[in-house]
Amino acid sequence: MIKYHPKFKDYKVRSNVALKGRYGDKYKIDFLLIRETKGNQVNDVIIINGIIVKDWKRSLSYSVVFDIEKMIKNVPIIKKIILITNSFSQEAIYWARRCNILTLTAGEIISIYNIYWKDIQKAIELEKTSKLSFTSEQLINDNCCSELALL
């Protein structure tokens, strides 16, 4: 879904990425969204956002949010995290907001997908027929997936 959103056209998506923190801690990120921007400096700026998916039968607790906050501090290349699970405890939502972690439930992801299903299908078909990569000028509404555009 992210692949076809105009805001993310410049991002590369990597899945199941293992990262090493400053102090040797190891972390697993389900998806990384990586964008290189051309700056005036000699080095380009690299923006990396992570998506972590927890498919649990119970609510996700605030302790998981604290662990993710620790990871963000320990892996400075990560700029933002989106945390997706079936449900969150109220404390987890509160602390995630304080830590600048975007929380989405699986139901919210499905709702976003269903709302923009036709636009996503048009983009996929257009990409298949043209054999070109998708551009922001093509058929997808700029407001598509506005919850994900908070990055």
Side-chain angles (χ1 to χ4, degrees):
M1 186 165 62
I2 289 173
K3 177 181 175 184
Y4 296 103
H5 188 285
K7 179 177 170 95
F8 298 107
K9 70 180 177 85
D10 296 329
Y11 281 82
K12 295 175 187 171
V13 179
R14 303 282 183 256
S15 59
N16 298 319
V17 180
L19 297 173
K20 196 172 192 179
R22 285 187 241 190
Y23 307 110
D25 296 338
K26 294 180 182 178
Y27 302 98
K28 181 186 169 283
I29 301 282
D30 295 306
F31 299 97
L32 281 181
L33 305 175
I34 305 166
R35 184 180 77 189
E36 294 182 40
T37 60
K38 305 294 180 192
N40 294 334
Q41 305 295 329
V42 175
N43 296 329
D44 295 334
V45 177
I46 298 175
I47 299 170
I48 300 179
N49 300 300
I51 300 175
I52 299 174
V53 180
K54 300 284 186 186
D55 188 16
W56 292 356
K57 302 258 186 250
R58 58 184 172 81
S59 292
L60 188 126
S61 71
Y62 65 90
S63 64
V64 175
V65 174
F66 289 153
D67 291 342
I68 292 171
E69 179 190 27
K70 178 182 169 189
M71 179 198 59
I72 293 170
K73 290 178 180 177
N74 211 356
V75 183
I77 62 169
I78 301 287
K79 302 299 179 201
K80 177 95 174 169
I81 290 288
I82 300 172
L83 180 58
I84 302 170
T85 191
N86 294 323
S87 66
F88 294 92
S89 70
Q90 289 300 317
E91 294 85 7
I93 292 171
Y94 171 78
W95 285 107
R97 287 183 181 149
R98 290 199 59 170
C99 299
N100 199 23
I101 298 169
L102 177 62
T103 58
L104 293 171
T105 64
E108 289 169 332
I109 295 291
I110 291 169
S111 294
I112 292 167
Y113 185 77
N114 287 336
I115 289 169
Y116 297 104
W117 170 250
K118 289 179 185 175
D119 290 334
I120 292 169
Q121 286 297 103
K122 286 178 190 175
I124 292 169
E125 287 303 314
L126 188 60
E127 186 175 41
K128 283 181 185 175
T129 58
S130 68
K131 302 290 184 209
L132 299 173
S133 65
F134 184 76
T135 64
S136 62
E137 290 77 30
Q138 297 166 328
L139 299 181
I140 291 285
N141 180 346
D142 284 333
N143 295 324
C144 174
C145 309
S146 60
E147 288 84 352
L148 294 178
L150 294 173
L151 291 175

